[in-house]
Amino acid sequence: MQQTQVAQHPLVFATLTAPSFGAVHAAKKPGQRGTQRCRPRSGDGRKLCPHGRPTWCMAVHDHDQVLVGQPLCRECYDYLGHLVWQWYAPELWRRFTIALGRALARHLGVSETACRRLVRVQFAKVAEFQRRGVVHFHALIRLDGHPTDTDPFPPPARKVSDAALVELVLQAAAEVSCEASPVDGHDVGRVLSFGRQVDVRAVHSDADREAVTGVELHPETVAAYVAKYATKAAADLADGHHRNPHLARLKRFVSKTALRSGCAGLTGLDGPYKGWGRWADMLGFRGHFASKSRRYSTTLGRLRQARRDHVRARLNKLHGGEPVRVGDDADLAELEADSTLVVGSWRFAGIGWLTAGDAALAAASAARARDD
């Protein structure tokens, strides 16, 4: 299947957000001219929360400020609801894919079984951690036909426009919900759903590469978005706990809540919060940062097999055997030119810093860390 043929299939880029768990400080939008105040209020709108804190903020925050994502009032913020939603976020996404398939069947006027023989939903998604410590899902959603041995990525047997796919995604995201069990006897059950801010835009190769607004996006623009979201999620969470009091509080709250549910017997082998405490570093999110449907592209098994074939071909060639056919001759020539030196023995070299200067720098750095 040619890449240009797959590019003609209906394709949208969707962003599914989390609901609000309390007012937080917001940053100005990147590239926006002028000022954008955090949470502006005037006149009668300037009211205090039940804990005596203001519910407004007239400051203009940059994205790199630690205050961005912090609750205006920690006592008002629903930390438990935040963590429960985070725990069930993968289940919400699973139910969203099911709801989208059902919405597509209704749109075509056929049963779900018949719809899967005509049109299949494929996706590739990444999870992005927001500054408030909750994940959003960004996904490429594509419609393919029923795969065959000769054509693994056929076009849909029934025509579905990009505009129709956008509406179906919005419809599925709005109707998805999930019932969450109480954490313990002092908690209540919850009905979880995605937030109201859902963005879905068609992806076209003839769209403007530089445009970040509008109803269409260029594939290269979307690829840059996906790469940024995936790396941002891992990088921000790695050091965020040390300098962000809100994220540090969330991390501690995960451990405490896991203990609560454990005392209630809900983290056992069959409990709904099984293993919750192991995900404290991920702020309770147990899903994968990047995932895809099986037939969105090549499978991970084929990628692993390709790597094994490359290694086998290289080793056979180096040892004078018959090389396995992998790629073209140019690829094999590059593999043959490389060799790896394997050291099978080790000896003790010493411990400590190499020089007195290194030791002094390490001691000064540790002293600054303790002061901070």
Side-chain angles (χ1 to χ4, degrees):
M1 171 63 64
Q2 298 292 330
Q3 179 181 359
T4 54
Q5 293 177 289
V6 178
Q8 302 303 317
H9 296 190
L11 178 66
V12 298
F13 183 62
T15 298
L16 306 183
T17 65
S20 174
F21 303 102
V24 298
H25 291 278
K28 62 181 180 181
K29 295 181 180 179
Q32 184 176 15
R33 296 181 179 179
T35 60
Q36 180 185 8
R37 301 189 184 278
C38 175
R39 304 185 72 86
R41 294 289 188 276
S42 62
D44 296 337
R46 295 195 174 190
K47 299 180 181 180
L48 300 179
C49 74
H51 305 95
R53 294 185 177 89
T55 59
W56 69 91
C57 177
M58 302 298 290
V60 179
H61 304 305
D62 291 328
H63 282 269
D64 56 352
Q65 291 183 355
V66 178
L67 192 61
V68 175
Q70 303 285 319
L72 271 67
C73 177
R74 293 196 307 176
E75 283 73 19
C76 290
Y77 193 85
D78 185 10
Y79 279 92
L80 186 55
H82 176 137
L83 295 178
V84 171
W85 189 94
Q86 193 105 292
W87 180 255
Y88 279 92
E91 175 64 16
L92 278 174
W93 172 262
R94 187 186 71 85
R95 297 190 180 200
F96 164 75
T97 58
I98 297 173
L100 180 57
R102 292 173 177 173
L104 183 60
R106 292 194 300 267
H107 175 75
L108 296 178
V110 297
S111 65
E112 294 181 46
T113 302
C115 182
R116 285 192 292 269
R117 292 194 293 264
L118 299 173
V119 183
R120 289 200 172 192
V121 178
Q122 308 295 343
F123 68 86
K125 74 170 177 68
V126 294
E128 175 206 5
F129 267 93
Q130 278 198 311
R131 294 292 293 272
R132 58 176 174 151
V134 69
V135 294
H136 285 183
F137 291 128
H138 306 277
L140 279 166
I141 302 175
R142 189 184 70 214
L143 297 183
D144 292 348
H146 186 75
T148 62
D149 294 337
T150 58
D151 192 354
F153 306 106
R158 295 279 294 273
K159 183 178 180 180
V160 179
S161 65
D162 293 330
L165 181 56
V166 168
E167 292 300 323
L168 292 174
V169 171
L170 291 172
Q171 175 185 341
E175 69 183 25
V176 166
S177 64
C178 176
E179 294 185 3
S181 303
V183 172
D184 57 14
H186 302 285
D187 191 23
V188 297
R190 295 172 176 81
V191 178
L192 308 177
S193 61
F194 287 111
R196 291 178 296 178
Q197 295 180 346
V198 178
D199 181 62
V200 187
R201 286 183 279 179
V203 180
H204 283 299
S205 57
D206 54 355
D208 185 5
R209 285 182 174 86
E210 305 299 328
V212 295
T213 59
V215 296
E216 294 183 355
L217 291 172
H218 193 273
E220 294 182 3
T221 306
V222 174
Y225 280 163
V226 171
K228 181 189 72 172
Y229 294 142
T231 55
K232 174 185 175 182
D236 282 5
L237 207 61
D239 62 349
H241 300 154
H242 306 293
R243 59 185 179 87
N244 191 315
H246 175 60
L247 297 185
R249 183 180 174 90
L250 278 172
K251 183 179 178 180
R252 292 193 300 268
F253 212 89
V254 172
S255 302
K256 292 171 59 177
T257 308
L259 183 61
R260 284 177 54 183
S261 59
C263 294
L266 299 178
T267 57
L269 295 177
D270 299 325
Y273 299 103
K274 172 186 174 183
W276 202 358
R278 296 199 305 268
W279 299 96
D281 288 336
M282 303 300 296
L283 305 181
F285 177 62
R286 54 176 169 161
H288 295 285
F289 276 117
S291 63
K292 68 178 185 66
S293 57
R294 180 175 178 82
R295 293 188 178 275
Y296 182 84
S297 61
T298 185
T299 64
L300 297 178
R302 289 182 178 179
L303 292 176
R304 287 192 293 268
Q305 184 61 46
R307 288 194 293 268
R308 286 193 292 265
D309 291 343
H310 274 276
V311 173
R312 189 180 299 113
R314 172 181 167 275
L315 293 177
N316 288 342
K317 189 66 174 180
L318 289 175
H319 290 83
E322 186 66 24
V324 179
R325 177 65 180 174
V326 180
D328 54 18
D329 294 337
D331 294 335
L332 278 177
E334 292 180 3
L335 290 173
E336 295 165 10
D338 297 331
S339 61
T340 303
L341 176 62
V342 178
V343 179
S345 62
W346 299 85
R347 65 181 179 85
F348 178 75
I351 60 175
W353 303 104
L354 297 178
T355 65
D358 292 342
L361 289 175
S365 177
R368 286 194 298 270
R370 287 193 296 270
D371 292 341
D372 293 339

